[in-house]
Structures are given as structure tokens and as C-alpha cells.
Amino acid sequence: MANATKPETYTLEVEYTDTFGGEANYAWVKRETLELPCGLSDRAVMRRAKAAMGLSGVRGRSYVNGDMWEFRPYRSCTVMFANVRY
């Protein structure tokens, strides 16, 4: 029997919330946990996180800081964060 190896994955915690004065407010928040394969580009990670929050096709500004992603949709007082869980 051949060794069946599971591809390496990591867990991404995504949260989408409102802002007040440009800062995350958390008056309401939507959270999801995603299991993603290793080796995805930042763009692919952001695409999957946005899809999980119902933001596919929404334009905005993205920021990447190591293993944390931030997305701020244009003309919306909201922010989405995606963090790798260790």
C-alpha cells in the first residue's frame, strides 16, 4: 500500500467588522476559520478570505504584514483581518 500523505495546510482565522474613526470597532463582527494549503500567494489568500466573508468582487485596499492580512473596502466603514493561527 502506498503512503498517502496529506498536503500541508494551515489555519486562517478571518474576521470582518465595522470601524469607528478608522479603527476596528467590533460593534458587530463576522468570523470564519479556513483551512488553506501551504504555498498560496497573498492574492490567493485574500481572495479566499474575501469569499468567506461575502466580499467577492468588492474593491478596496489590502495590506500584508507577515502572516496577517488586512482588507479595507472602498466607501465602507468596515475592515477585514485574516491571521494565521499557530
Side-chain angles (χ1 to χ4, degrees):
M1 180 179 250
N3 275 347
T5 58
K6 182 180 175 187
E8 288 194 38
T9 62
Y10 64 95
T11 303
L12 189 71
E13 294 179 340
V14 184
E15 56 187 23
Y16 180 53
T17 187
D18 64 320
T19 61
F20 182 76
E23 299 295 323
N25 189 31
Y26 293 95
W28 58 265
V29 63
K30 181 179 177 185
R31 291 187 174 99
E32 292 287 335
T33 302
L34 306 175
E35 195 74 24
L36 301 177
C38 291
L40 288 178
S41 67
D42 290 334
R43 185 176 179 182
V45 170
M46 187 57 63
R47 237 187 229 157
R48 291 185 184 196
K50 284 173 60 178
M53 293 294 120
L55 297 173
S56 294
V58 175
R59 295 175 55 132
R61 188 162 303 259
S62 297
Y63 305 94
V64 179
N65 188 11
D67 56 359
M68 185 216 138
W69 293 263
E70 178 180 341
F71 175 70
R72 293 186 176 260
Y74 292 138
R75 295 176 297 284
S76 175
C77 296
T78 58
V79 63
M80 182 186 74
F81 299 108
N83 297 295
V84 175
R85 180 173 40 169
Y86 291 103

